[in-house]
Amino acid sequence: MVEDDVKDEASLHTRRGWLMARTTAPGGLADQSVEPLSSADSAAHHIVEFCLKDGPVGRIGLEIEAHCFDLADPSRRPGWQELTSVIARLPAMPGGSLVTVEPGGAVELSGPPMPDTVSAVAAMASDRSVLRAAFAQAGLGLVLLGADPVRPAARVNPGARYSAMEEFFRESGTAAAGAAMMTSTASVQVNLEAGPRSGWGDRVRLAHALGPTMIAIAANSPVLGGGFTGWRSTRQLVWSQLDSARCGPILGADGDDPADDWARYALRAPVMLVNGPAAAAVTQWVPFADWADGRVLLGDRRPTVADLEYHLTTLFPPVRPRGFLEVRYLDSVPDATWPAVVFTLATLLDHPAAADGAAEATEGVATAWDRAAELGLADRELHAAAVRCVRLAAEQVPDALEESMSRLVRSVEQGRCPADDFADRAVSYGIAEAVTHLARGEL
C-alpha cells in the first residue's frame, strides 16, 4: 500500500463518480495535465471551465471520518501497520465506499454518488456496519466525534504529502493548528451537484449561508486532547486558526459568480506543496498566480495543469467546488444523527421551497461561523435559525429517515447539539471512559 496513492485513489474515486465523462474525454484534464500553464489567466480559465458542472440537482455522495481507538486503552493511537492490516482484510464494501486512513489514524469511508439521500444514507450505513465489525474483531473501535478528545496530535500515516504539510505548517507559524487539523479532527462531508448554471450564484451563497447554522446543529467536538475547550465545535475552532487564504470561505463581494470567485481565491492562495516523486513543501509565500505568471519558479519550472489540480487539493474552504460542491463544515456526528443532518443539508439546498425558507431563516447568522462553533445552539439567533431549518427539512422527510429526523428535530428544539450529549457523558464517566463507551457502541 502506497500511502499517498491510497488517499489520491479515494479522491479520484469520489471525483470520477461525478465527472467521469468530462475528465476522460479527448482534450480534457488527462490530455492537458503535462502542458505548462502560460499565465495566471490561463490557470483561471481552466478553473472556471471545470470547477462546476451544469446539470440537475439530486445526486449526493457522503464521506465520513471516524477516530480509531484501542478498546482496551483509549490513550493509545493505533499504528499505521495495525490499521492497514485490518483494512487489507476487509471485503468489498456493499455500498461501494473506499476505505482510507487519515494522517492521525482516523478511518474514512468515501462513498460514490447516489441518486438521492435515502440511497446514499443506506449505502453508507451498510459500509459503516461492515467496517465497525471488522475493526471490533481487531480490538479497535471507531468513534464519530469532530475532534479527538483523548490523545495529543500525532501523525501515523507516513505519506510524503503529510510530512510536507507538517513542514509547511511549521514554517507558516501554524504548526499546532495544522497538526490538530490533520490528526485530531473528523467530519461528515456532503457532496452535492452544482445544479443548473443559472442558479449557481444562489446555490453556492446558500451553501455558505447555511454553514453557521449547520455547524451549530452538528457541533460535536467540545473536547480536544484531554480537555474541554469551551467550544461546541473545536474542529471548527482548529480550522479557523489556519490561514484564511486557504481555509476561509471562497465567496467574493456579491457571490454572483462562484466559479470566478473560486478562480480568484485559488490563484491568490499560497502554494503549499509542489508535487513530484515526493511532495515538497513551499516554505515561502508564493501565490499560485505568481508561479503561473513565471514571477517565481518552483522546482525550477512553471506549473502544469496537473500542478494546478494538485494545488486545488491543498485548499480547504468550507464549500469547495470540484465540478460538484463539497460541503466540508460538519463535525463527525453519531450514527443516530448523521442521516438526519445529511438529509437536512441536502433538502435545504435541493428542494426549492425549503431553500427559500432556509435563505430567509439564516440571513441574520450567515457569517456567524465562530459564534456557531463556540456557542452552538445556545446562541439565540442560531437556535431560531436551526429550528426553522430542521422543521423545513422534516416536512420533506421520507419514511426511511423519519426516526433520525425526529430525533434531530427534538434535540434542536431543546437547544442541544451532539457536543452537549458528549460533554454530559464526559462529566459523568470521565473523558477516556466516555470515549471507550462510544468505541464499544455502549452509548
Side-chain angles (χ1 to χ4, degrees), residues 68-69 71 86 129-142 439-441:
C68 185
F69 289 93
L71 294 175
V86 177
S129 179
V130 170
L131 194 70
R132 284 198 312 271
F135 272 77
Q137 287 182 344
L140 303 173
L142 299 175
R440 295 181 182 277

Side-chain angles (χ1 to χ4, degrees), residues 4 7 101 103 155 157 159-167 182:
D4 291 337
K7 287 300 294 179
V101 180
R155 180 167 62 91
N157 187 324
R161 173 183 170 100
Y162 302 124
S163 177
M165 288 176 70
E166 285 179 334
E167 182 181 357
M182 288 200 299

Side-chain angles (χ1 to χ4, degrees), residues 61 74 96 106 135 147 158 171 233 259 275 278 283 288 302 333 344 387 426 431:
F135 272 77
E171 294 298 323
S233 177
N275 201 14
T283 56
F288 192 91
R302 293 174 75 135
V333 291
T344 297
V387 169
I431 296 170

Side-chain angles (χ1 to χ4, degrees), residues 237-381:
L237 169 63
V238 168
W239 282 96
S240 73
Q241 293 170 338
L242 296 171
D243 179 12
S244 62
R246 183 177 308 281
C247 301
I250 68 171
L251 291 183
D254 54 29
D256 286 339
D257 189 346
D260 188 62
D261 287 343
W262 177 229
R264 185 179 300 108
Y265 180 104
L267 293 177
R268 289 177 175 173
V271 181
M272 173 186 275
L273 308 174
V274 174
N275 201 14
V282 178
T283 56
Q284 70 270 38
W285 183 278
V286 180
F288 192 91
D290 287 359
W291 190 19
D293 279 334
R295 287 191 285 269
V296 178
L297 297 182
L298 299 175
D300 295 322
R301 60 180 177 81
R302 293 174 75 135
T304 65
V305 169
D307 291 313
L308 174 58
E309 289 290 319
Y310 191 72
H311 171 64
L312 297 179
T313 71
T314 69
L315 307 180
F316 310 111
V319 180
R320 183 166 68 174
R322 298 192 68 204
F324 53 98
L325 298 179
E326 289 181 347
V327 181
R328 305 170 52 86
Y329 44 61
L330 299 173
D331 279 9
S332 192
V333 291
D335 281 311
T337 304
W338 68 255
V341 170
V342 166
F343 179 78
T344 297
L345 179 63
T347 300
L348 297 179
L349 284 166
D350 286 357
H351 190 281
D356 289 344
E360 180 181 354
T362 59
E363 185 176 5
V365 292
T367 60
W369 298 89
D370 286 350
R371 183 154 46 110
E374 183 176 8
L375 301 177
L377 297 176
D379 179 88
R380 179 179 57 82
E381 290 182 292

Side-chain angles (χ1 to χ4, degrees), residues 199-220:
W200 284 352
D202 288 341
R203 185 167 175 77
V204 176
R205 268 195 303 269
L206 180 57
H208 283 81
L210 283 168
T213 298
M214 292 303 304
I215 286 170
I217 290 171
N220 192 33

